[in-house]
Amino acid sequence: MNAENQRLQEANTNQKNWRHYGPYLSERQWGTVREDYSAGGDAWNYTNFEMARSYAYRWGEEGLAGFCDTRQLLCLSLALWNGKDAILKEQLFGLSGPQGNHGEDVKELYYFLDATPSHAYQKLLYKYPQAAFPYQELVQENAARTRQQPEYELLDTGVFDESRYYDVFVEMAKADAGDLLFQYTIVNRGPEAATVHVLPQLWFRNTWSWGYDDYRPELKALTNNAVQVSHRELGELTWHVDGEPELLFCDNHTNAERITRYPLRETYYKDGINTYLVDGQQDTVNPARTGTKAAAHCVLTLQPGESRQVRLRLSPAGQAAPFADFEQLFAQRQQEADEFYAELQHEITDADARLVQRQAYAGMLWSKQFYDYDIPKWLAGDPALPPPPAERQNARNAEWKSLTNYDIISMPDTWEYPWYAAWDLAFHCLPLVQLDPEFAKNQLRLLCLDWYMHPNGQLPAYEWHFSDVNPPVHAWATFRVFKIDQKARGDAGDVEFLETVFHRLLLNFTWWVNRKDKDGHNIFEGGFLGLDNIGVFDRSAPLPFGGTLEQADGTAWVAMFALNMMRIALELSQTNPVYQDLACKFFEHFLYIAEAMTNVGNTALDLWDEEDEFYYDALNKPNGGHELLKVRSMVGLIPLFAVEVLDEDLLIGAPVFLARMNWLLTNRPHLAGLVSHWQEPGKGARRLLSLLRGHRMKRLLFRMLDPAEFLSEHGIRSLSRVYQDEPYVFEEDGSKFVVNYQPAESESDMFGGNSNWRGPIWFPVNFLLVESLQRFYHYYGDDFKVECPTHSGHYATILEVADELSQRLNRLFLRNDKTGLRACFGPRDLLQHDPNFRDYVLFNEYFNGDTGEGLGASHQTGWTGLVAKLLLPSYAIESHYESSK
């Protein structure tokens, strides 16, 4: 067992809490719903970037390259100053949703380079311009641009010309679970000598100003390079700084002179160090060298190409020589990280693939964040502060009074989306289980707990609207994580985990049936279902002329959910036969959903269009009429996800289920006929459950694999490319609705306009397509072939199609063998060719449907981190092995 796995074992058995400190500090707390106490729910303006340096947050902290403990009592991060900016660089800058021409967007360059799951070693790179940071230029230029124009990025401003910037490498290594070493390496990449101020910071989250507990911890200078850290729940610690810094102290309190909504209480405000250094105001730091926030001010003058280091250590009190073993410990933790990944990547021979996968894993681990949100307290307000406006009692999330979150959670993007989202989190767990199975399983448990799940069974979607509906992929992720973990353990697997989540998901499935099948016809709505602007209308809002939508994707998602629950029940029945009855229930429910998709509400309306050979949403009009909305989009491919293959051995081991299945297929032939050849064993005496018979699957793949429609060089587009020249037009009651192919950013403000499902490539649904094709192959075998690409004359097995799609997705990030370019970097020469950029990879939210350029949230390693799974050479075989055995 390598050293990192040994640490995880110690953490999992409660011998030593290696996970206690980690990169759990958010990159943005301002603009979040948690911090919004406005009457109208104006989260973007109640707290904003201009306030951030002066505002003591209620629910969490933020910082640049930050760390904290699991309860975020103590925080550590980095501040920088180039001598030209009007403020310290304490937090990453970005535009709010209303400011950006394509929604919120971080305007910085930073990269997650390395991490281990115990956080014994972490590495990040931040690129800091030597010129004044162009805050106003970025705000003004983006405000002047339309949705038809690209975003104006930091690279466009010219501040990185002639390499006039600093590379700031942030590294943290643990000598022990509570003994942290920090190393900041600053490199002058510019052509001239330059001076930079480096300020490692340490502070306590403000827990004493809200009227519940007035205990205030303390930071106090012991010497000129050591700070005593006193907190009743953390014990006595010492923060050591190597060298002779200037120690500066203030308090983590709101500057009421700048932000007047709170009464004046303190003298040395949160922004005191900023004001002291940038404005030269001497009375804003505490001369007694004590407080609840501290910084070690170090000034470095670097020659061109020169690098210098600032070193610190946070350790239990009494460390006599804190830097004596510093280099040896750092080297040891770096070597152990290399050993951990060498074992994990032993099948990957390509160096570039190893680099991309390791950075994907690093991004997953850097995106774990402390999240605190107690809705009853949030709605009521705090005893020590003025009561919030009465309107908030009926405002956003007021119906979620049972929700109380206080955990470390995997976030989609720690700046653009610093809050969990239900379906994102499910996808995160697939790469996370490769690194830290216990953490992945705990993430899936979290959302099913009473203080997350609504009493009615709904899973919380995301904090902007917990009652929105995400696709029900929790059961899929739970079973996949269970099987991956089972294979790694080499035993029966964590049955307790599987059983626990299954029981909670029974409530969630019931919620779907009761709330999203309005007419009881087994046809499901669900609203936007994570696909933002994909539809003709905003699917999260009432239709502009009345009526309802019968959603092909909503129904297919629930069919997939039913099959996932059936498969989990069969797995559990191997040790407890009682679960066979529940497997029967979900099998039967799946059959009725399959029937309903061909006869919506007994109206003979089929969501499958025989002429186009594609699935569409159906519009129920107020006058009782029906109409298919014939937009070929990912909505029509999602029925491919509802597929399961059962081995003969599994069925023989579940006699009650097998008997019920055979009875249904014999006595309900109209149901059996809807599903792919149930009565005929397939490859290896396996049986297939799917919404698609062989012919329908082939016809869907004919569309999906057509380069003129869905198939791009880098994956499957979210909307057919045919709408580029011939947009889809729908007219009703004098209104016209147009859907056209937009391969890059969204050109409309539907659902906020910060994401686009009308053309780009999205990793989560592409990943599910790959997995679904692998399961189809598991049934059909090598004899079933389709043309790939369509019209090419080349025929491939379903597994070969899945492999081809995986390779196309991988090529988003990997260097092209001929050109050496990465598609995700787009046309930017600096990113493609500069040795200080070209091997630092970002894992964007989505990708240009034509070029593969990364778009949207730039650090959404969460579900785009799924590429780490696809890069494994054994992925295809492993996937259908895990799913079916």
Side-chain angles (χ1 to χ4, degrees):
M1 181 182 295
N2 61 51
E4 177 61 16
N5 282 326
Q6 179 67 38
R7 282 188 285 269
L8 291 176
Q9 185 178 75
E10 290 174 355
N12 296 339
T13 55
N14 297 318
Q15 297 176 56
K16 190 174 288 188
N17 192 0
W18 284 99
R19 299 187 187 93
H20 181 60
Y21 288 98
Y24 311 141
L25 189 66
S26 175
E27 288 162 354
R28 177 174 64 82
Q29 185 71 10
W30 64 265
T32 59
V33 170
R34 283 157 285 161
E35 299 295 340
D36 176 25
Y37 284 80
S38 66
D42 187 7
W44 283 118
N45 289 309
Y46 191 82
T47 56
N48 55 46
F49 178 79
E50 287 299 317
M51 298 168 57
R53 67 183 181 276
S54 307
Y55 188 77
Y57 293 113
R58 170 62 178 86
W59 295 101
E61 296 289 337
E62 66 189 7
L64 174 60
F67 298 84
C68 68
D69 61 277
T70 53
R71 291 177 291 170
Q72 202 174 85
L73 301 174
L74 180 64
C75 305
L76 306 98
S77 73
L78 180 65
L80 300 162
W81 188 45
N82 54 20
K84 301 180 179 69
D85 287 343
I87 56 174
L88 292 181
K89 177 63 67 176
E90 293 183 272
Q91 53 276 121
L92 296 171
F93 171 71
L95 304 181
S96 69
Q99 287 177 316
N101 62 323
H102 294 290
E104 62 268 35
D105 188 37
V106 67
K107 301 297 184 184
E108 302 271 13
L109 289 178
Y110 59 105
Y111 304 88
F112 303 127
L113 299 185
D114 209 357
T116 60
S118 72
H119 308 298
Y121 181 70
Q122 300 280 137
K123 186 176 183 179
L124 174 150
L125 168 61
Y126 174 69
K127 291 181 177 285
Y128 185 42
Q130 294 175 1
F133 197 91
Y135 293 104
Q136 288 306 309
E137 180 181 347
L138 288 164
V139 172
Q140 292 168 2
E141 179 60 29
N142 278 284
R145 294 193 174 196
T146 68
R147 292 196 179 275
Q148 287 67 45
Q149 295 175 287
E151 295 174 331
Y152 187 66
E153 304 291 4
L154 184 60
L155 282 174
D156 298 323
T157 67
V159 292
F160 289 96
D161 291 354
E162 299 180 309
S163 297
R164 293 182 183 273
Y165 66 92
Y166 304 101
D167 268 343
V168 182
F169 292 94
V170 176
E171 294 174 279
M172 188 272 279
K174 294 181 180 179
D176 206 342
D179 190 350
L180 314 182
L181 285 62
F182 294 88
Q183 180 169 276
Y184 302 102
T185 303
I186 294 86
V187 185
N188 179 5
R189 297 295 185 195
E192 298 174 358
T195 298
V196 61
H197 300 251
V198 181
L199 295 96
Q201 297 192 105
L202 177 76
W203 74 98
F204 294 111
R205 180 165 64 96
N206 189 326
T207 57
W208 55 87
S209 292
W210 320 119
Y212 303 103
D213 183 353
D214 62 1
Y215 168 74
R216 186 185 301 196
E218 183 183 42
L219 302 172
K220 182 171 66 175
L222 293 174
T223 66
N224 287 334
N225 59 5
V227 175
Q228 178 178 300
V229 181
S230 301
H231 194 294
R232 66 185 180 190
E233 296 184 44
L234 297 174
E236 291 294 320
L237 305 171
T238 304
W239 190 50
H240 303 274
V241 187
D242 194 15
E244 299 182 359
E246 179 185 17
L247 296 180
L248 304 171
F249 293 80
C250 60
D251 280 300
N252 187 13
H253 282 282
T254 296
N255 183 345
E257 296 175 15
R258 286 196 73 230
I259 302 169
T260 57
R261 66 173 65 129
Y262 293 128
L264 186 63
R265 290 181 179 174
E266 304 291 332
T267 303
Y268 305 110
Y269 305 122
K270 175 183 173 180
D271 56 10
I273 296 170
N274 174 91
T275 307
Y276 168 84
L277 186 61
V278 176
D279 299 334
Q281 192 171 325
Q282 301 295 308
D283 60 355
T284 60
V285 294
N286 192 337
R289 301 207 300 175
T290 184
T292 51
K293 178 181 178 181
H297 178 208
C298 309
V299 183
L300 307 180
T301 298
L302 304 173
Q303 297 301 313
E306 184 183 3
S307 67
R308 297 265 300 278
Q309 291 179 338
V310 175
R311 306 190 306 176
L312 302 97
R313 186 167 187 167
L314 176 71
S315 60
Q319 183 80 257
F323 299 101
D325 57 353
F326 192 95
E327 290 185 11
Q328 179 265 323
L329 283 168
F330 244 101
Q332 181 179 341
R333 293 296 179 259
Q334 290 166 338
Q335 180 182 343
E336 290 167 354
D338 290 341
E339 291 169 355
F340 175 76
Y341 281 107
E343 185 174 316
L344 198 66
Q345 298 180 320
H346 70 276
E347 294 179 307
I348 303 177
T349 58
D350 181 71
D352 193 48
R354 291 196 301 271
L355 177 147
V356 170
Q357 188 193 56
R358 188 158 173 175
Q359 290 185 29
Y361 282 140
M364 298 297 309
L365 295 171
W366 273 96
S367 297
K368 294 161 67 173
Q369 177 186 316
F370 172 79
Y371 187 87
D372 184 13
Y373 193 14
D374 185 322
I375 285 187
K377 286 185 178 179
W378 179 74
L379 289 171
D382 296 317
L385 297 179
E391 298 94 320
R392 297 182 70 256
Q393 293 303 314
N394 298 308
R396 176 186 286 127
N397 297 330
E399 69 276 23
W400 284 80
K401 291 185 174 65
S402 61
L403 189 138
T404 303
N405 300 166
Y406 189 83
D407 291 288
I408 303 299
I409 307 179
S410 178
M411 299 299 166
D413 180 302
T414 57
W415 193 95
E416 296 208 22
Y417 304 123
W419 29 260
Y420 66 86
W423 79 312
D424 296 61
L425 185 62
F427 287 110
H428 298 181
C429 292
L430 268 290
L432 283 171
V433 72
Q434 304 288 144
L435 301 168
D436 188 348
E438 291 308 310
F439 180 77
K441 289 184 287 186
N442 283 334
Q443 293 295 285
L444 291 167
R445 287 190 192 99
L446 269 185
L447 263 64
C448 296
L449 295 172
D450 288 343
W451 46 96
Y452 283 78
M453 178 183 279
H454 196 280
N456 64 20
Q458 184 179 8
L459 295 181
Y462 50 92
E463 69 173 35
W464 282 91
H465 190 193
F466 280 127
S467 292
D468 257 344
V469 183
N470 280 182
V473 292
H474 213 81
W476 164 80
T478 297
F479 189 63
R480 291 290 284 114
V481 164
F482 170 80
K483 296 301 283 186
I484 293 170
D485 183 46
Q486 181 189 58
K487 183 180 178 183
R489 292 159 58 121
D491 59 18
D494 191 344
V495 175
E496 181 181 352
F497 154 73
L498 188 65
E499 191 170 24
T500 298
V501 178
F502 177 77
H503 278 276
R504 303 299 294 183
L505 290 179
L506 289 173
L507 301 175
N508 184 238
F509 190 88
T510 303
W511 176 85
W512 272 91
V513 171
N514 290 338
R515 296 297 182 94
K516 294 301 173 183
D517 178 15
K518 184 172 65 71
D519 298 318
H521 294 152
N522 291 304
I523 293 292
F524 293 84
E525 296 112 34
F528 90 115
L529 284 173
L531 308 187
D532 293 33
N533 64 338
I534 201 166
V536 179
F537 320 107
D538 182 348
R539 303 194 308 171
S540 66
L543 297 181
F545 42 79
T548 59
L549 280 179
E550 307 288 9
Q551 296 180 215
D553 58 333
T555 305
W557 283 120
V558 179
M560 173 185 169
F561 191 4
L563 287 180
N564 297 151
M565 293 293 279
M566 179 203 72
R567 185 62 186 85
I568 294 173
L570 286 172
E571 186 77 21
L572 293 172
S573 74
Q574 294 181 39
T575 53
N576 187 345
V578 168
Y579 284 101
Q580 293 182 60
D581 285 338
L582 283 169
C584 294
K585 176 237 185 297
F586 286 110
F587 167 65
E588 190 167 352
H589 208 126
F590 167 75
L591 291 180
Y592 285 117
I593 292 171
E595 178 191 35
M597 287 188 75
T598 64
N599 185 20
V600 177
N602 296 316
T603 62
L605 176 64
D606 193 340
L607 298 184
W608 172 266
D609 184 71
E610 290 290 352
E611 181 181 358
D612 290 356
E613 296 183 306
F614 203 79
Y615 281 106
Y616 296 119
D617 285 346
L619 174 64
N620 291 326
K621 298 184 178 181
N623 62 10
H626 303 278
E627 182 176 350
L628 291 178
L629 299 174
K630 296 189 176 184
V631 180
R632 290 197 292 279
S633 73
M634 185 59 67
V635 165
L637 299 178
I638 286 174
L640 286 165
F641 300 167
V643 54
E644 189 55 73
V645 179
L646 301 178
D647 293 324
E648 197 72 22
D649 290 345
L650 183 64
L651 292 173
I652 292 172
V656 174
F657 173 80
L658 182 60
R660 177 62 177 168
M661 178 191 78
N662 288 333
W663 186 93
L664 278 168
L665 298 177
T666 300
N667 294 279
R668 301 287 187 270
H670 65 291
L671 295 179
L674 293 169
V675 186
S676 297
H677 304 295
W678 250 98
Q679 69 275 19
E680 299 177 14
K683 176 188 173 188
R686 299 183 175 103
R687 294 181 181 272
L688 175 73
L689 286 80
S690 169
L691 291 176
L692 304 165
R693 294 184 293 276
H695 171 73
R696 284 193 177 184
M697 186 188 69
K698 279 192 171 183
R699 300 316 297 166
L700 266 191
L701 294 183
F702 179 84
R703 295 280 194 193
M704 188 182 88
L705 299 175
D706 187 348
E709 293 222 32
F710 289 98
L711 183 65
S712 83
E713 286 296 315
H714 305 99
I716 300 301
R717 303 178 179 106
S718 50
L719 184 75
S720 172
R721 200 171 188 272
V722 299
Y723 301 116
Q724 183 173 47
D725 298 323
E726 298 180 12
Y728 174 83
V729 179
F730 177 82
E731 297 187 58
E732 185 78 11
D733 290 346
S735 299
K736 179 185 289 188
F737 302 86
V738 178
V739 177
N740 63 321
Y741 174 73
Q742 301 166 15
E745 301 283 13
S746 173
E747 296 178 8
S748 77
D749 60 357
M750 183 185 292
F751 214 85
N754 62 336
S755 297
N756 184 23
W757 284 83
R758 293 187 174 182
I761 299 154
W762 287 79
F763 232 90
V765 286
N766 270 263
F767 186 85
L768 287 175
L769 285 171
V770 170
E771 292 225 327
S772 298
L773 291 173
Q774 290 168 344
R775 285 198 291 276
F776 276 116
Y777 170 77
H778 198 51
Y779 176 79
Y780 285 113
D782 291 332
D783 295 333
F784 190 100
K785 295 187 176 184
V786 296
E787 194 176 17
C788 179
T790 301
H791 306 304
S792 68
H794 175 264
Y795 283 81
T797 68
I798 302 299
L799 183 59
E800 289 169 339
V801 173
D803 289 345
E804 175 63 23
L805 180 52
S806 294
Q807 292 306 311
R808 291 182 183 228
L809 292 164
N810 291 341
R811 290 201 296 267
L812 285 164
F813 309 100
L814 298 175
R815 285 188 178 282
N816 183 286
D817 290 339
K818 296 179 181 178
T819 66
L821 306 181
R822 302 187 194 276
C824 60
F825 286 166
R828 293 190 183 273
D829 287 340
L830 183 70
L831 301 183
Q832 297 284 13
H833 301 292
D834 190 300
N836 295 313
F837 282 88
R838 66 189 181 197
D839 288 330
Y840 302 135
V841 183
L842 295 177
F843 300 87
N844 290 77
E845 183 180 6
Y846 52 95
F847 300 86
N848 187 299
D850 292 336
T851 69
E853 181 180 5
L855 300 164
S858 56
H859 292 74
Q860 191 148 351
T861 321
W863 62 24
T864 305
L866 289 164
V867 69
K869 191 86 170 103
L870 295 182
L871 284 165
L872 294 171
S874 63
Y875 173 74
I877 298 171
E878 176 191 17
S879 177
H880 56 67
Y881 173 88
E882 291 161 358
S883 296
S884 302
K885 286 199 172 183

